Amino acid sequence: MDDLRVRAHELATRGEPFALTTVVRVERPASARPGMKAIVLLDGTLEGWVGGSCAHPVVVREALAAIHEGRPRLITLSPHRRERDDQEGVIYHPMTCHSGGSLEIYIEPVLPRPVLLLVGDTPLVGALASLGRLEGFTVWAAGAGEGPPRFEADLHLPLEQLTRKVTTTTYVVVATMGDADEEALEQVAAAGAGYVGLVASRRRADAVLGYLRARGLSDDALRRVKAPAGLDIGALTPEEIAVSIMAEIIQVRRGRDAVPLAQTAAAAQMPAAATQPAAAATMAIDPICGMSVAIATAKHSLVHQGVTFYFCGARCRQAFERDPARYATAGT
């Protein structure tokens, strides 16, 4: 347990997203015990123990969804659905393994602090830096000019380093007032940021996006750029415009009008079950026990008459092998 706490601290210190899962209730027979914990990484790796082969794929799938949504969840795995399993905040999954038993597992995403990356050095950008810090963002500054910006920032970056620094928890505002809009957006538009906003008039924004399209940026990347940045609240002063932009960033961050994770560059680092948890193409039904199995991470599979079947564990696969004709129609 101590090793797992150390591991969680290391991941959090490095700013790597993960989910901490904890068994909170058990009805025997079950291999887990209350208090057992595991860590689920962004690539679907599970470190620790919260149950056997029936629980493992469900926990990983729900943990990746929790990381994506940024919200904790309580899941129940049980062979018998009860009234409390349908309560708000509880996600029920059938426990179909032969051993039976029930588990309740709390899943908590641990995400790095969001980054507000500001490109430019104007009173508007200074106001955004202050608001971002109040909202708990780490503030980064970038610009084409020499020397540091006139506002306080946790990190200063040259424009040419932006692409490799941007993640899904980076929220970018480009406000160079025409000095380096194109150069900055070319670095960040397709990098998978959680938000990219351009402070410019509509005419200027159209010209910038047209230039970037001519430079070869895809329409998908350009659609990610909000121009002009900010919600329409009738803002006039730099401070009011900063409020409108910060409000829009919070709206996106909390899941309203957000770009789906599956459309971002960071989605390439995640298994298909994480970015499309409900998509039929990523899931299969174990023909023996009826459990849902994530195809991308399935360890047990078998091809029968040209059809691939996926299993939650070795025992189910062995049962299928003994009598494939009996079970072949159940998993298709």
Side-chain angles (χ1 to χ4, degrees):
M1 192 67 68
D2 288 341
D3 290 343
L4 203 66
R5 291 192 181 99
V6 171
R7 174 66 167 149
H9 177 72
E10 291 174 349
L11 292 168
T13 300
R14 293 204 301 262
E16 296 186 24
F18 65 95
L20 182 63
T21 67
T22 305
V23 178
V24 295
R25 186 175 177 276
V26 173
E27 289 183 8
R28 299 189 181 189
S31 57
R33 295 292 179 268
M36 286 186 169
K37 299 180 185 294
I39 286 172
V40 178
L41 305 180
L42 196 59
D43 64 358
T45 300
L46 185 145
E47 301 177 4
W49 182 263
V50 288
S53 59
C54 287
H56 184 117
V58 174
V59 170
V60 169
R61 188 164 69 251
E62 291 290 352
L64 292 174
I67 293 171
H68 169 44
E69 295 175 9
R71 298 187 183 94
R73 57 189 59 202
L74 178 66
I75 67 170
T76 295
L77 294 98
S78 175
H80 307 293
R81 193 163 191 156
R82 292 154 294 194
E83 183 177 346
R84 69 166 176 265
D85 296 328
D86 295 318
Q87 293 178 351
E88 184 177 355
V90 180
I91 301 174
Y92 171 79
H93 290 275
M95 174 69 83
T96 52
C97 283
H98 305 300
S99 59
S102 300
L103 293 171
E104 291 185 7
I105 300 173
Y106 180 68
I107 301 174
E108 179 183 9
V110 182
L111 305 175
R113 286 181 65 188
V115 172
L116 180 62
L117 172 55
L118 302 173
V119 186
D121 190 8
T122 64
L124 165 62
V125 174
L128 275 168
S130 298
L131 288 173
R133 196 166 286 106
L134 285 173
E135 291 296 329
F137 285 73
T138 296
V139 177
W140 291 357
E146 300 293 332
R150 289 170 287 183
F151 60 89
E152 183 182 351
D154 300 294
L155 180 66
H156 301 94
L157 296 168
L159 289 180
E160 59 269 18
Q161 291 186 10
L162 298 189
T163 299
R164 62 176 179 266
K165 289 289 187 179
V166 167
T167 71
T168 54
T169 58
T170 307
Y171 299 81
V172 185
V173 179
V174 177
T176 70
M177 302 300 106
D179 184 39
D181 292 343
E182 294 87 351
E183 293 88 338
L185 288 173
E186 194 166 14
Q187 287 283 318
V188 302
Y195 170 89
V196 180
L198 171 64
V199 179
S201 67
R202 293 190 183 278
R203 179 175 295 182
R204 168 66 181 162
D206 289 343
V208 170
L209 297 180
Y211 170 83
L212 294 174
R213 184 175 288 106
R215 290 273 296 174
L217 259 70
S218 68
D219 288 339
D220 182 62
L222 294 176
R223 279 194 295 270
R224 294 182 57 82
V225 179
K226 176 63 191 309
L231 300 178
D232 185 3
I233 61 172
L236 294 176
T237 68
E239 292 78 14
E240 290 173 348
I241 296 171
V243 168
S244 76
I245 295 172
M246 203 65 220
E248 186 170 59
I249 289 173
I250 292 170
Q251 183 185 66
V252 170
R253 185 182 173 217
R254 297 307 183 191
R256 298 180 59 190
D257 300 331
V259 176
L261 180 62
Q263 296 180 13
T264 69
Q269 303 173 16
M270 301 176 66
T275 57
Q276 303 175 22
T282 68
M283 304 299 298
I285 301 298
D286 185 323
I288 304 300
C289 68
M291 182 176 177
S292 296
V293 180
I295 293 174
T297 56
K299 296 181 179 179
H300 303 278
S301 61
L302 181 150
V303 179
H304 175 70
Q305 295 183 348
V307 178
T308 302
F309 295 85
Y310 298 88
F311 308 91
C312 69
R315 290 184 179 179
C316 284
R317 185 185 64 190
Q318 291 166 2
F320 184 94
E321 289 173 337
R322 287 194 293 269
D323 191 1
R326 177 183 175 185
Y327 300 109
T329 59
T332 59

